């Protein structure tokens, strides 16, 4: 397996550059690793890649997911019922990397990473084929040690910007971030909503004043229409709870994989650029 420093370009950077060249906004699905099983997660990752996903957020199961709504909390519980660990998820990525080249971002809370050890985590994740990390409950001001380990392994550190973030804080986050900025379109926890926030464009414009990094929008995105609306403003669309809900409803079945595939394909089609 190649060392992290053997990479020519981080897959996140390369993918956004490619998408920018063709005028496409990235589809970034989120799923919880191990929900309902690691074997099914492997199938779903392949299905999402085949359905047109551009990047993938892979959630690390955690017992106290404070930023997640009920749908994602239940997914974490299902994965933890099978004792899925961070080491298991790293091994899963190494397995799917044999034939899936989507950029993969670990979406995690700090505790599993801290327990694993920053340098060991960065080394093992990069060797398996992870491209970036988003730690939901780590403030940028306290992230220097982890960020140093990730930089050394050529992993991108992605940060959240919220609607309540002040211009000064946006500037500070932008200075530390790499890969892309994840804009949380609503305050509160993850979950599906009926409509996109009216002030989305205003907040994205503020972030663009402080960074040239791509901006992806998540939290509350649940339909192809939402994806199309966000595509006019942002560089990426993160869809989580709407996919995780389908996984929970379908359970450990081929029908679940088919349903997730169909939904992901509808989102990908909604993000296709207009013909020149």
């Amino acid at each position: 397996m190649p060392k992290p420093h053997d990479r020519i370009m981080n897959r996140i950077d390369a993918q956004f550059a490619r998408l920018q060249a063709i005028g496409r906004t990235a589809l970034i699905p989120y799923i919880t690793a191990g929900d309902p099983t690691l074997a099914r997660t492997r199938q779903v990752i392949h299905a999402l890649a085949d359905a047109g996903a551009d990047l993938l957020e892979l959630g690390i199961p955690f017992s106290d997911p404070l930023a997640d709504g009920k749908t994602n909390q239940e997914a974490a519980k299902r994965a933890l019922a099978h004792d899925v660990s961070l080491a298991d998820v790293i091994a899963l990525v190494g397995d799917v990397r044999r034939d899936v080249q989507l950029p993969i971002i670990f979406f995690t809370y700090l505790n599993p990473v801290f327990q694993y050890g920053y340098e060991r985590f960065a080394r093992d994740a990069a060797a398996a084929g992870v491209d970036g990390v988003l730690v939901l409950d780590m403030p940028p001001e306290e992230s220097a040690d982890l960020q140093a380990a990730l930089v050394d392994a050529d992993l991108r550190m992605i940060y959240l910007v919220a609607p309540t973030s002040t211009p000064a804080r946006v500037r500070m986050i932008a200075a530390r971030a790499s890969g892309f900025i994840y804009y949380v379109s609503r305050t509160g926890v993850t979950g599906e909503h009926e409509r996109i926030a009216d002030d989305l464009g205003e907040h994205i414009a503020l972030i663009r004043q402080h960074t040239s990094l791509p901006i992806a929008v998540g939290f509350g995105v649940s339909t192809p229409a939402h994806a199309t609306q966000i595509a006019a403003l942002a560089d990426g669309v993160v869809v989580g709870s709407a996919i995780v809900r389908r996984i929970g409803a379908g359970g450990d079945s081929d029908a679940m994989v088919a349903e997730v595939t169909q939904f992901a394909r509808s989102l990908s089609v909604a993000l296709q650029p207009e013909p020149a």
Side-chain angles (χ1 to χ4, degrees):
M1 183 175 293
K3 297 178 181 179
H5 295 294
D6 291 339
R7 297 180 183 178
I8 296 174
M9 187 178 192
N10 182 282
R11 275 180 286 256
I12 296 172
D13 303 335
Q15 184 73 310
F16 274 111
R18 183 187 73 81
L19 295 174
Q20 184 179 24
I22 63 174
R24 175 177 165 90
T25 298
L27 171 61
I28 312 175
Y30 165 90
I31 59 173
T32 301
D35 175 33
T37 66
L38 284 169
R40 286 295 181 188
T41 299
R42 186 180 297 107
Q43 282 187 284
V44 170
I45 290 172
H46 283 86
L48 290 171
D50 292 342
D54 299 299
L55 298 89
L56 174 68
E57 283 189 356
L58 195 56
I60 306 300
F62 182 55
S63 59
D64 192 20
L66 296 177
D68 287 299
K70 181 177 175 57
T71 299
N72 288 353
Q73 287 182 14
E74 292 297 327
K77 288 180 182 178
R78 290 191 293 267
L80 290 172
H82 295 286
D83 298 320
V84 174
S85 68
L86 175 55
D88 291 330
V89 184
I90 291 173
L92 171 67
V93 174
D95 183 26
V96 301
R97 272 292 176 233
R98 297 172 186 173
D99 47 15
V100 172
Q101 290 306 307
L102 284 181
I104 294 177
I105 299 106
F106 272 175
F107 189 90
T108 184
Y109 291 87
L110 179 59
N111 186 271
V113 177
F114 180 79
Q115 295 296 329
Y116 198 93
Y118 291 169
E119 292 184 2
R120 177 185 171 220
F121 166 73
R123 180 186 66 245
D124 290 357
V130 176
D131 303 288
V133 178
L134 193 162
V135 183
L136 284 98
D137 55 348
M138 171 170 269
E141 298 92 336
E142 300 175 14
S143 65
D145 290 345
L146 176 57
Q147 184 148 5
L150 296 181
V151 168
D152 190 56
D154 193 32
L155 292 172
R156 300 299 177 255
M157 186 141 189
I158 297 144
Y159 289 104
L160 299 172
V161 171
T164 54
S165 298
T166 64
R169 186 161 185 80
V170 171
R171 183 168 56 251
M172 181 269 291
I173 292 171
R176 289 167 166 78
S178 56
F180 62 93
I181 299 285
Y182 188 130
Y183 176 66
V184 177
S185 64
R186 295 180 181 275
T187 57
V189 297
T190 60
E192 298 175 75
H193 292 274
E194 293 184 359
R195 60 196 299 267
I196 298 300
D198 294 332
D199 58 358
L200 178 61
E202 175 185 337
H203 286 285
I204 291 177
L206 170 63
I207 299 170
R208 290 202 191 280
Q209 291 177 18
H210 301 289
T211 185
S212 59
L213 288 173
I215 300 169
V217 175
F219 281 48
V221 184
S222 56
T223 69
H226 288 169
T228 300
Q229 186 178 349
I230 291 170
L233 301 167
D235 306 293
V237 179
V238 182
V239 184
S241 295
I243 294 173
V244 174
R245 175 172 57 81
R246 287 169 167 81
I247 293 173
D252 189 3
S253 69
D254 291 341
M256 176 275 288
V257 178
E259 170 66 17
V260 168
T261 303
Q262 181 179 11
F263 178 61
R265 187 169 290 120
S266 72
L267 294 167
S268 180
V269 169
L271 293 174
Q272 289 294 343
E274 294 291 333

